[in-house]
Every structure is written in structure tokens, then in C-alpha cells.
Amino acid sequence: MAGAGQARKEHLSTEEEVDSKAAVARLITLKVVSQERVVRHTMKMTDKLQVLKDVWYHKVPEVTPGTGVFMINGSRFRPESTPEELELEEDDMVDFFEHVDGGAPLVAAWMWE
């Protein structure tokens, strides 16, 4: 009977190995880039990208939440999206563009002549 007990222990340890390997999360480091700053953040491939936005606003306190746009490859993304869903790769860039108010009023060309 000692052989059966040993086989059971070996079977359990193999299952535990598989479970522990599955528990290891795939990580990705993304860069949020603006004209003035670069913030790197490592996260799980299954984390929502809202986490990345929250990290940006935490590390760049002079920028108020909601005062800019985050884009990946020129397109906005939903905060519920994950790096895995968007097929992002290590060191991919997320662009941050701050909204700008002001500027000159629109003037008709004939007013300059």
C-alpha cells in the first residue's frame, strides 16, 4: 500500500505545480507619454486600463482627472479594456493629450485684407 500512497503524493504535487504556474500572472509594462512626462507602470495583462489612468493622475498630480484624453495607436480606449484584449505588448505607449482651452477667436479671412 505504500506504493499507492506515494503515487497519490506525486499526483498531488504535479497538480500543485500546474496550479502554481497558472497563478503566475503575465505582466506587462506600459508607458504613458505626454509632451512633458513619461510614466511607466507594470500591471497584469488582465487588469483594466483604468488602473493605468489612475496611476497617471496619482504620479502627475498637477494634471486633474478628466482634463485629458488617453489614446493607444491614435484611438481612444474604454477604461474597462485590458492590455490582453487590445493585444498590447511590452513597452507599448499610451499617449496622454491634455485638453487646451483658449486660443484666438475665429476671424474671417476678408477681415485681414
Side-chain angles (χ1 to χ4, degrees):
M1 284 292 202
Q6 182 66 24
R8 181 175 165 83
K9 284 183 182 178
E10 287 176 14
H11 180 68
L12 287 176
S13 67
T14 304
E15 282 181 11
E16 289 172 5
E17 268 184 49
V18 171
D19 288 344
S20 66
K21 287 179 182 176
V24 174
R26 292 182 308 144
L27 300 176
I28 186 170
T29 300
L30 299 173
K31 296 185 287 189
V32 181
V33 180
S34 73
Q35 288 182 340
E36 302 166 358
R37 302 283 296 255
V38 175
V39 172
R40 292 178 186 269
H41 180 66
T42 302
M43 59 193 292
K44 293 179 186 175
M45 288 289 286
T46 55
D47 284 347
K48 294 179 180 179
L49 288 172
Q50 180 63 48
V51 171
L52 190 63
K53 293 172 128 183
D54 294 341
V55 167
W56 170 261
Y57 288 123
H58 177 75
K59 290 187 176 182
V60 187
E62 62 271 14
V63 178
T64 308
T67 60
V69 177
F70 292 87
M71 301 180 94
I72 297 174
N73 296 328
S75 299
R76 288 182 171 194
F77 58 89
R78 292 175 304 131
E80 308 85 43
S81 300
T82 66
E84 186 173 58
E85 291 171 352
L86 299 178
E87 299 177 356
L88 298 179
E89 297 177 2
E90 186 71 16
D91 282 331
D92 271 354
M93 284 193 326
V94 175
D95 296 307
F96 177 78
F97 298 99
E98 195 166 4
H99 295 299
V100 179
D101 292 331
L106 184 60
V107 179
W110 60 267
M111 295 182 76
W112 292 105
E113 295 176 357

Short mmCIF file of all heavy atoms in Angstrom, two decimals, residues 47-107:
data_model
loop_
_atom_site.label_atom_id
_atom_site.label_comp_id
_atom_site.label_asym_id
_atom_site.label_seq_id
_atom_site.Cartn_x
_atom_site.Cartn_y
_atom_site.Cartn_z
N ASP A 47 -5.62 43.21 -16.06
CA ASP A 47 -6.09 44.40 -15.32
C ASP A 47 -6.76 45.37 -16.27
O ASP A 47 -6.35 45.51 -17.43
CB ASP A 47 -4.93 45.11 -14.63
CG ASP A 47 -4.45 44.40 -13.38
OD1 ASP A 47 -5.16 43.49 -12.90
OD2 ASP A 47 -3.37 44.76 -12.89
N LYS A 48 -7.74 46.09 -15.76
CA LYS A 48 -8.40 47.11 -16.57
C LYS A 48 -7.46 48.30 -16.76
O LYS A 48 -6.69 48.65 -15.87
CB LYS A 48 -9.69 47.57 -15.89
CG LYS A 48 -10.72 46.46 -15.83
CD LYS A 48 -11.97 46.91 -15.14
CE LYS A 48 -12.96 45.75 -15.11
NZ LYS A 48 -14.18 46.11 -14.43
N LEU A 49 -7.55 48.93 -17.92
CA LEU A 49 -6.68 50.08 -18.21
C LEU A 49 -7.03 51.30 -17.38
O LEU A 49 -6.26 52.26 -17.34
CB LEU A 49 -6.71 50.39 -19.70
CG LEU A 49 -5.97 49.36 -20.56
CD1 LEU A 49 -6.20 49.62 -22.04
CD2 LEU A 49 -4.49 49.37 -20.25
N GLN A 50 -8.16 51.27 -16.68
CA GLN A 50 -8.50 52.35 -15.75
C GLN A 50 -7.39 52.47 -14.69
O GLN A 50 -7.08 53.57 -14.25
CB GLN A 50 -9.85 52.09 -15.07
CG GLN A 50 -10.25 53.17 -14.08
CD GLN A 50 -10.45 54.52 -14.74
OE1 GLN A 50 -11.12 54.63 -15.76
NE2 GLN A 50 -9.87 55.56 -14.16
N VAL A 51 -6.79 51.35 -14.33
CA VAL A 51 -5.68 51.35 -13.37
C VAL A 51 -4.55 52.23 -13.88
O VAL A 51 -3.97 53.02 -13.13
CB VAL A 51 -5.19 49.91 -13.11
CG1 VAL A 51 -3.92 49.90 -12.28
CG2 VAL A 51 -6.27 49.08 -12.45
N LEU A 52 -4.24 52.11 -15.16
CA LEU A 52 -3.17 52.90 -15.76
C LEU A 52 -3.50 54.40 -15.70
O LEU A 52 -2.64 55.22 -15.38
CB LEU A 52 -2.95 52.46 -17.20
CG LEU A 52 -1.73 53.01 -17.93
CD1 LEU A 52 -0.45 52.56 -17.25
CD2 LEU A 52 -1.75 52.58 -19.37
N LYS A 53 -4.75 54.74 -15.96
CA LYS A 53 -5.18 56.14 -15.88
C LYS A 53 -5.04 56.66 -14.44
O LYS A 53 -4.54 57.77 -14.21
CB LYS A 53 -6.62 56.28 -16.34
CG LYS A 53 -6.82 56.01 -17.81
CD LYS A 53 -8.30 55.97 -18.11
CE LYS A 53 -8.66 56.88 -19.24
NZ LYS A 53 -10.10 56.92 -19.51
N ASP A 54 -5.48 55.85 -13.48
CA ASP A 54 -5.40 56.25 -12.07
C ASP A 54 -3.95 56.46 -11.65
O ASP A 54 -3.65 57.42 -10.93
CB ASP A 54 -6.06 55.20 -11.18
CG ASP A 54 -7.56 55.10 -11.40
OD1 ASP A 54 -8.16 56.05 -11.97
OD2 ASP A 54 -8.14 54.06 -11.02
N VAL A 55 -3.05 55.59 -12.11
CA VAL A 55 -1.63 55.73 -11.78
C VAL A 55 -1.09 57.03 -12.37
O VAL A 55 -0.34 57.75 -11.72
CB VAL A 55 -0.82 54.51 -12.30
CG1 VAL A 55 0.67 54.77 -12.27
CG2 VAL A 55 -1.17 53.27 -11.49
N TRP A 56 -1.47 57.34 -13.59
CA TRP A 56 -1.02 58.59 -14.24
C TRP A 56 -1.42 59.80 -13.39
O TRP A 56 -0.59 60.64 -13.08
CB TRP A 56 -1.63 58.70 -15.63
CG TRP A 56 -1.41 60.04 -16.26
CD1 TRP A 56 -2.30 61.08 -16.31
CD2 TRP A 56 -0.22 60.53 -16.91
NE1 TRP A 56 -1.75 62.15 -16.95
CE2 TRP A 56 -0.47 61.85 -17.33
CE3 TRP A 56 1.01 59.96 -17.17
CZ2 TRP A 56 0.47 62.62 -18.00
CZ3 TRP A 56 1.95 60.73 -17.84
CH2 TRP A 56 1.67 62.04 -18.25
N TYR A 57 -2.68 59.86 -13.02
CA TYR A 57 -3.14 61.02 -12.25
C TYR A 57 -2.51 61.06 -10.85
O TYR A 57 -2.30 62.14 -10.30
CB TYR A 57 -4.67 61.02 -12.14
CG TYR A 57 -5.34 61.37 -13.44
CD1 TYR A 57 -6.26 60.51 -14.04
CD2 TYR A 57 -5.06 62.57 -14.09
CE1 TYR A 57 -6.87 60.84 -15.24
CE2 TYR A 57 -5.66 62.90 -15.29
CZ TYR A 57 -6.57 62.04 -15.86
OH TYR A 57 -7.18 62.37 -17.04
N HIS A 58 -2.16 59.90 -10.29
CA HIS A 58 -1.50 59.87 -8.99
C HIS A 58 -0.06 60.36 -9.10
O HIS A 58 0.41 61.13 -8.26
CB HIS A 58 -1.53 58.46 -8.41
CG HIS A 58 -0.82 58.32 -7.12
ND1 HIS A 58 -1.34 58.79 -5.93
CD2 HIS A 58 0.40 57.80 -6.82
CE1 HIS A 58 -0.48 58.56 -4.96
NE2 HIS A 58 0.59 57.96 -5.47
N LYS A 59 0.64 59.94 -10.15
CA LYS A 59 2.05 60.31 -10.31
C LYS A 59 2.25 61.69 -10.93
O LYS A 59 3.34 62.23 -10.87
CB LYS A 59 2.78 59.25 -11.15
CG LYS A 59 2.93 57.93 -10.42
CD LYS A 59 3.78 56.97 -11.19
CE LYS A 59 4.01 55.69 -10.40
NZ LYS A 59 4.87 54.75 -11.12
N VAL A 60 1.21 62.22 -11.55
CA VAL A 60 1.29 63.56 -12.15
C VAL A 60 0.16 64.39 -11.53
O VAL A 60 -0.86 64.65 -12.15
CB VAL A 60 1.15 63.49 -13.69
CG1 VAL A 60 1.39 64.85 -14.31
CG2 VAL A 60 2.10 62.47 -14.28
N PRO A 61 0.33 64.80 -10.27
CA PRO A 61 -0.76 65.46 -9.54
C PRO A 61 -1.16 66.83 -10.10
O PRO A 61 -2.26 67.30 -9.84
CB PRO A 61 -0.21 65.60 -8.12
CG PRO A 61 1.27 65.52 -8.26
CD PRO A 61 1.53 64.66 -9.45
N GLU A 62 -0.30 67.44 -10.90
CA GLU A 62 -0.66 68.75 -11.47
C GLU A 62 -1.70 68.62 -12.59
O GLU A 62 -2.26 69.62 -13.03
CB GLU A 62 0.57 69.52 -11.97
CG GLU A 62 1.35 68.85 -13.07
CD GLU A 62 2.44 67.90 -12.57
OE1 GLU A 62 2.46 67.53 -11.40
OE2 GLU A 62 3.26 67.51 -13.42
N VAL A 63 -1.96 67.39 -13.03
CA VAL A 63 -2.98 67.16 -14.05
C VAL A 63 -4.22 66.62 -13.35
O VAL A 63 -4.17 65.59 -12.68
CB VAL A 63 -2.48 66.16 -15.12
CG1 VAL A 63 -3.57 65.89 -16.14
CG2 VAL A 63 -1.23 66.69 -15.80
N THR A 64 -5.33 67.31 -13.52
CA THR A 64 -6.57 66.94 -12.87
C THR A 64 -7.28 65.84 -13.67
O THR A 64 -7.33 65.91 -14.90
CB THR A 64 -7.51 68.17 -12.78
OG1 THR A 64 -6.78 69.23 -12.16
CG2 THR A 64 -8.74 67.86 -11.97
N PRO A 65 -7.81 64.82 -12.97
CA PRO A 65 -8.54 63.76 -13.69
C PRO A 65 -9.65 64.34 -14.58
O PRO A 65 -10.34 65.28 -14.20
CB PRO A 65 -9.14 62.92 -12.57
CG PRO A 65 -8.18 63.11 -11.43
CD PRO A 65 -7.72 64.54 -11.54
N GLY A 66 -9.75 63.78 -15.77
CA GLY A 66 -10.78 64.22 -16.70
C GLY A 66 -10.37 65.39 -17.57
O GLY A 66 -11.17 65.89 -18.35
N THR A 67 -9.13 65.87 -17.44
CA THR A 67 -8.70 67.04 -18.21
C THR A 67 -7.88 66.66 -19.44
O THR A 67 -7.20 67.51 -20.00
CB THR A 67 -7.87 68.00 -17.34
OG1 THR A 67 -6.73 67.30 -16.86
CG2 THR A 67 -8.69 68.55 -16.18
N GLY A 68 -7.95 65.40 -19.83
CA GLY A 68 -7.19 64.98 -20.99
C GLY A 68 -7.75 63.71 -21.59
O GLY A 68 -8.75 63.16 -21.13
N VAL A 69 -7.07 63.25 -22.62
CA VAL A 69 -7.50 62.06 -23.37
C VAL A 69 -6.34 61.08 -23.42
O VAL A 69 -5.20 61.46 -23.72
CB VAL A 69 -7.91 62.46 -24.80
CG1 VAL A 69 -8.29 61.24 -25.61
CG2 VAL A 69 -9.04 63.47 -24.79
N PHE A 70 -6.62 59.81 -23.15
CA PHE A 70 -5.64 58.74 -23.28
C PHE A 70 -5.92 58.02 -24.59
O PHE A 70 -7.07 57.70 -24.90
CB PHE A 70 -5.77 57.74 -22.13
CG PHE A 70 -5.38 58.31 -20.80
CD1 PHE A 70 -6.31 58.99 -20.02
CD2 PHE A 70 -4.08 58.17 -20.33
CE1 PHE A 70 -5.95 59.50 -18.78
CE2 PHE A 70 -3.72 58.69 -19.09
CZ PHE A 70 -4.65 59.35 -18.32
N MET A 71 -4.86 57.75 -25.36
CA MET A 71 -5.03 57.10 -26.66
C MET A 71 -3.96 56.04 -26.88
O MET A 71 -2.82 56.21 -26.45
CB MET A 71 -4.96 58.13 -27.78
CG MET A 71 -6.02 59.21 -27.66
SD MET A 71 -5.90 60.41 -28.99
CE MET A 71 -7.08 59.70 -30.11
N ILE A 72 -4.35 54.98 -27.57
CA ILE A 72 -3.42 53.93 -27.97
C ILE A 72 -3.50 53.84 -29.48
O ILE A 72 -4.59 53.66 -30.04
CB ILE A 72 -3.79 52.58 -27.34
CG1 ILE A 72 -3.68 52.66 -25.82
CG2 ILE A 72 -2.89 51.48 -27.89
CD1 ILE A 72 -4.16 51.43 -25.10
N ASN A 73 -2.37 54.01 -30.14
CA ASN A 73 -2.32 53.98 -31.61
C ASN A 73 -3.32 54.95 -32.24
O ASN A 73 -3.97 54.64 -33.24
CB ASN A 73 -2.55 52.56 -32.14
CG ASN A 73 -1.46 51.61 -31.71
OD1 ASN A 73 -0.31 52.00 -31.56
ND2 ASN A 73 -1.83 50.37 -31.49
N GLY A 74 -3.47 56.13 -31.65
CA GLY A 74 -4.32 57.17 -32.21
C GLY A 74 -5.80 57.01 -31.94
O GLY A 74 -6.61 57.78 -32.44
N SER A 75 -6.19 56.03 -31.13
CA SER A 75 -7.61 55.82 -30.83
C SER A 75 -7.83 55.80 -29.33
O SER A 75 -7.01 55.28 -28.57
CB SER A 75 -8.09 54.48 -31.39
OG SER A 75 -7.95 54.45 -32.78
N ARG A 76 -8.96 56.34 -28.91
CA ARG A 76 -9.34 56.25 -27.51
C ARG A 76 -9.66 54.80 -27.18
O ARG A 76 -9.99 54.01 -28.05
CB ARG A 76 -10.58 57.10 -27.23
CG ARG A 76 -10.31 58.57 -27.26
CD ARG A 76 -11.58 59.30 -26.92
NE ARG A 76 -11.30 60.70 -26.73
CZ ARG A 76 -12.14 61.54 -26.17
NH1 ARG A 76 -13.34 61.14 -25.80
NH2 ARG A 76 -11.81 62.80 -26.02
N PHE A 77 -9.58 54.48 -25.90
CA PHE A 77 -9.92 53.13 -25.47
C PHE A 77 -10.85 53.21 -24.27
O PHE A 77 -10.89 54.22 -23.57
CB PHE A 77 -8.66 52.32 -25.11
CG PHE A 77 -7.82 52.95 -24.04
CD1 PHE A 77 -8.05 52.69 -22.70
CD2 PHE A 77 -6.79 53.82 -24.36
CE1 PHE A 77 -7.28 53.27 -21.71
CE2 PHE A 77 -6.00 54.41 -23.39
CZ PHE A 77 -6.26 54.14 -22.05
N ARG A 78 -11.61 52.15 -24.08
CA ARG A 78 -12.51 52.10 -22.92
C ARG A 78 -11.70 51.76 -21.67
O ARG A 78 -10.81 50.91 -21.73
CB ARG A 78 -13.59 51.03 -23.13
CG ARG A 78 -14.57 51.37 -24.23
CD ARG A 78 -15.55 50.24 -24.49
NE ARG A 78 -14.77 49.02 -24.78
CZ ARG A 78 -14.98 47.85 -24.21
NH1 ARG A 78 -15.94 47.68 -23.34
NH2 ARG A 78 -14.24 46.80 -24.51
N PRO A 79 -11.99 52.40 -20.54
CA PRO A 79 -11.25 52.10 -19.31
C PRO A 79 -11.41 50.65 -18.85
O PRO A 79 -10.57 50.13 -18.14
CB PRO A 79 -11.85 53.05 -18.28
CG PRO A 79 -12.60 54.07 -19.04
CD PRO A 79 -12.95 53.47 -20.37
N GLU A 80 -12.48 49.98 -19.29
CA GLU A 80 -12.71 48.59 -18.91
C GLU A 80 -11.86 47.63 -19.73
O GLU A 80 -11.79 46.44 -19.43
CB GLU A 80 -14.18 48.18 -19.10
CG GLU A 80 -15.20 49.09 -18.45
CD GLU A 80 -15.55 50.28 -19.35
OE1 GLU A 80 -15.74 50.10 -20.56
OE2 GLU A 80 -15.62 51.40 -18.81
N SER A 81 -11.26 48.10 -20.81
CA SER A 81 -10.43 47.26 -21.66
C SER A 81 -9.19 46.80 -20.90
O SER A 81 -8.74 47.45 -19.96
CB SER A 81 -9.97 48.02 -22.90
OG SER A 81 -11.06 48.45 -23.64
N THR A 82 -8.63 45.68 -21.33
CA THR A 82 -7.40 45.17 -20.73
C THR A 82 -6.30 45.13 -21.79
O THR A 82 -6.60 45.12 -22.99
CB THR A 82 -7.61 43.73 -20.19
OG1 THR A 82 -7.86 42.85 -21.29
CG2 THR A 82 -8.75 43.66 -19.19
N PRO A 83 -5.05 45.13 -21.36
CA PRO A 83 -3.95 45.00 -22.33
C PRO A 83 -4.09 43.73 -23.18
O PRO A 83 -3.77 43.73 -24.36
CB PRO A 83 -2.71 44.94 -21.45
CG PRO A 83 -3.09 45.67 -20.21
CD PRO A 83 -4.54 45.35 -20.01
N GLU A 84 -4.59 42.67 -22.56
CA GLU A 84 -4.78 41.42 -23.28
C GLU A 84 -5.80 41.57 -24.41
O GLU A 84 -5.56 41.14 -25.53
CB GLU A 84 -5.23 40.34 -22.29
CG GLU A 84 -5.32 38.95 -22.86
CD GLU A 84 -5.61 37.94 -21.77
OE1 GLU A 84 -6.64 38.07 -21.07
OE2 GLU A 84 -4.78 37.03 -21.62
N GLU A 85 -6.93 42.22 -24.12
CA GLU A 85 -7.98 42.44 -25.13
C GLU A 85 -7.47 43.28 -26.30
O GLU A 85 -7.81 43.03 -27.44
CB GLU A 85 -9.19 43.15 -24.52
CG GLU A 85 -9.99 42.32 -23.56
CD GLU A 85 -11.05 43.16 -22.85
OE1 GLU A 85 -11.07 44.40 -22.97
OE2 GLU A 85 -11.86 42.56 -22.15
N LEU A 86 -6.65 44.28 -25.99
CA LEU A 86 -6.15 45.18 -27.02
C LEU A 86 -4.85 44.68 -27.65
O LEU A 86 -4.26 45.38 -28.48
CB LEU A 86 -5.95 46.58 -26.44
CG LEU A 86 -7.22 47.25 -25.91
CD1 LEU A 86 -6.90 48.61 -25.32
CD2 LEU A 86 -8.28 47.37 -26.99
N GLU A 87 -4.41 43.49 -27.23
CA GLU A 87 -3.20 42.87 -27.76
C GLU A 87 -1.98 43.78 -27.63
O GLU A 87 -1.17 43.91 -28.55
CB GLU A 87 -3.41 42.41 -29.20
CG GLU A 87 -4.51 41.38 -29.33
CD GLU A 87 -4.78 40.96 -30.77
OE1 GLU A 87 -4.16 41.51 -31.71
OE2 GLU A 87 -5.62 40.06 -30.94
N LEU A 88 -1.85 44.40 -26.46
CA LEU A 88 -0.70 45.28 -26.22
C LEU A 88 0.52 44.43 -25.90
O LEU A 88 0.42 43.30 -25.44
CB LEU A 88 -1.00 46.22 -25.06
CG LEU A 88 -2.17 47.18 -25.29
CD1 LEU A 88 -2.39 48.05 -24.06
CD2 LEU A 88 -1.94 48.03 -26.52
N GLU A 89 1.68 45.00 -26.17
CA GLU A 89 2.95 44.32 -25.94
C GLU A 89 3.80 45.13 -24.98
O GLU A 89 3.54 46.32 -24.75
CB GLU A 89 3.68 44.10 -27.25
CG GLU A 89 2.92 43.20 -28.21
CD GLU A 89 3.61 43.04 -29.55
OE1 GLU A 89 4.71 43.60 -29.72
OE2 GLU A 89 3.05 42.35 -30.41
N GLU A 90 4.84 44.51 -24.47
CA GLU A 90 5.77 45.15 -23.54
C GLU A 90 6.25 46.49 -24.08
O GLU A 90 6.61 46.61 -25.24
CB GLU A 90 6.95 44.22 -23.29
CG GLU A 90 7.91 44.68 -22.24
CD GLU A 90 7.35 44.59 -20.82
OE1 GLU A 90 6.34 43.90 -20.59
OE2 GLU A 90 7.94 45.24 -19.95
N ASP A 91 6.24 47.51 -23.24
CA ASP A 91 6.69 48.87 -23.55
C ASP A 91 5.86 49.59 -24.62
O ASP A 91 6.35 50.56 -25.22
CB ASP A 91 8.18 48.90 -23.93
CG ASP A 91 9.08 48.81 -22.71
OD1 ASP A 91 8.66 49.27 -21.63
OD2 ASP A 91 10.19 48.28 -22.82
N ASP A 92 4.64 49.13 -24.89
CA ASP A 92 3.76 49.90 -25.77
C ASP A 92 3.47 51.24 -25.11
O ASP A 92 3.50 51.38 -23.89
CB ASP A 92 2.44 49.15 -26.03
CG ASP A 92 2.53 48.21 -27.22
OD1 ASP A 92 3.57 48.23 -27.92
OD2 ASP A 92 1.57 47.46 -27.45
N MET A 93 3.20 52.24 -25.96
CA MET A 93 2.95 53.59 -25.45
C MET A 93 1.47 53.92 -25.44
O MET A 93 0.74 53.57 -26.36
CB MET A 93 3.66 54.64 -26.31
CG MET A 93 5.12 54.71 -26.07
SD MET A 93 5.91 56.17 -26.80
CE MET A 93 5.02 56.46 -28.26
N VAL A 94 1.06 54.60 -24.38
CA VAL A 94 -0.26 55.18 -24.28
C VAL A 94 -0.03 56.69 -24.27
O VAL A 94 0.72 57.19 -23.43
CB VAL A 94 -0.97 54.73 -22.98
CG1 VAL A 94 -2.31 55.42 -22.82
CG2 VAL A 94 -1.13 53.21 -22.96
N ASP A 95 -0.62 57.39 -25.21
CA ASP A 95 -0.44 58.84 -25.30
C ASP A 95 -1.47 59.55 -24.44
O ASP A 95 -2.64 59.15 -24.40
CB ASP A 95 -0.57 59.31 -26.75
CG ASP A 95 0.50 58.73 -27.64
OD1 ASP A 95 1.68 58.87 -27.28
OD2 ASP A 95 0.16 58.14 -28.68
N PHE A 96 -1.04 60.60 -23.75
CA PHE A 96 -1.94 61.44 -22.98
C PHE A 96 -1.90 62.84 -23.58
O PHE A 96 -0.82 63.44 -23.70
CB PHE A 96 -1.55 61.51 -21.51
CG PHE A 96 -2.43 62.44 -20.72
CD1 PHE A 96 -3.69 62.05 -20.32
CD2 PHE A 96 -2.00 63.72 -20.40
CE1 PHE A 96 -4.52 62.92 -19.62
CE2 PHE A 96 -2.81 64.59 -19.68
CZ PHE A 96 -4.08 64.19 -19.29
N PHE A 97 -3.05 63.33 -23.98
CA PHE A 97 -3.17 64.68 -24.52
C PHE A 97 -4.06 65.49 -23.60
O PHE A 97 -5.23 65.16 -23.40
CB PHE A 97 -3.78 64.66 -25.93
CG PHE A 97 -2.95 63.90 -26.92
CD1 PHE A 97 -3.27 62.60 -27.26
CD2 PHE A 97 -1.84 64.48 -27.51
CE1 PHE A 97 -2.51 61.89 -28.18
CE2 PHE A 97 -1.07 63.78 -28.42
CZ PHE A 97 -1.40 62.48 -28.76
N GLU A 98 -3.48 66.55 -23.03
CA GLU A 98 -4.26 67.41 -22.14
C GLU A 98 -5.12 68.35 -22.98
O GLU A 98 -4.67 68.87 -24.00
CB GLU A 98 -3.31 68.21 -21.25
CG GLU A 98 -4.00 68.84 -20.07
CD GLU A 98 -3.01 69.33 -19.03
OE1 GLU A 98 -1.79 69.24 -19.24
OE2 GLU A 98 -3.47 69.81 -17.99
N HIS A 99 -6.36 68.54 -22.52
CA HIS A 99 -7.24 69.48 -23.22
C HIS A 99 -6.67 70.89 -23.07
O HIS A 99 -6.17 71.26 -22.01
CB HIS A 99 -8.66 69.47 -22.62
CG HIS A 99 -9.37 68.18 -22.79
ND1 HIS A 99 -9.65 67.62 -24.02
CD2 HIS A 99 -9.86 67.29 -21.89
CE1 HIS A 99 -10.28 66.49 -23.87
NE2 HIS A 99 -10.41 66.25 -22.58
N VAL A 100 -6.75 71.66 -24.13
CA VAL A 100 -6.24 73.03 -24.10
C VAL A 100 -7.40 73.98 -24.35
O VAL A 100 -8.14 73.82 -25.32
CB VAL A 100 -5.15 73.23 -25.19
CG1 VAL A 100 -4.65 74.65 -25.19
CG2 VAL A 100 -4.00 72.26 -24.97
N ASP A 101 -7.55 74.93 -23.47
CA ASP A 101 -8.58 75.96 -23.63
C ASP A 101 -7.93 77.23 -24.13
O ASP A 101 -6.75 77.48 -23.90
CB ASP A 101 -9.28 76.26 -22.30
CG ASP A 101 -10.11 75.08 -21.82
OD1 ASP A 101 -10.59 74.31 -22.67
OD2 ASP A 101 -10.26 74.92 -20.60
N GLY A 102 -8.72 78.03 -24.80
CA GLY A 102 -8.21 79.32 -25.23
C GLY A 102 -7.90 79.33 -26.70
O GLY A 102 -8.44 78.57 -27.49
N GLY A 103 -7.03 80.22 -27.08
CA GLY A 103 -6.69 80.38 -28.49
C GLY A 103 -7.32 81.65 -29.03
O GLY A 103 -8.10 82.33 -28.37
N ALA A 104 -7.02 81.96 -30.24
CA ALA A 104 -7.54 83.18 -30.87
C ALA A 104 -8.95 82.91 -31.40
O ALA A 104 -9.28 81.79 -31.78
CB ALA A 104 -6.63 83.59 -32.02
N PRO A 105 -9.77 83.94 -31.43
CA PRO A 105 -11.11 83.76 -31.99
C PRO A 105 -11.01 83.53 -33.49
O PRO A 105 -10.06 83.97 -34.15
CB PRO A 105 -11.82 85.07 -31.68
CG PRO A 105 -10.73 86.05 -31.48
CD PRO A 105 -9.56 85.28 -30.95
N LEU A 106 -11.97 82.83 -34.02
CA LEU A 106 -12.01 82.57 -35.45
C LEU A 106 -12.32 83.88 -36.16
O LEU A 106 -13.31 84.55 -35.87
CB LEU A 106 -13.08 81.52 -35.76
CG LEU A 106 -13.17 81.09 -37.20
CD1 LEU A 106 -11.85 80.48 -37.66
CD2 LEU A 106 -14.29 80.08 -37.39
N VAL A 107 -11.47 84.27 -37.09
CA VAL A 107 -11.63 85.53 -37.82
C VAL A 107 -11.70 85.22 -39.30
O VAL A 107 -10.89 84.46 -39.82
CB VAL A 107 -10.43 86.48 -37.55
CG1 VAL A 107 -10.58 87.77 -38.32
CG2 VAL A 107 -10.30 86.76 -36.07
#
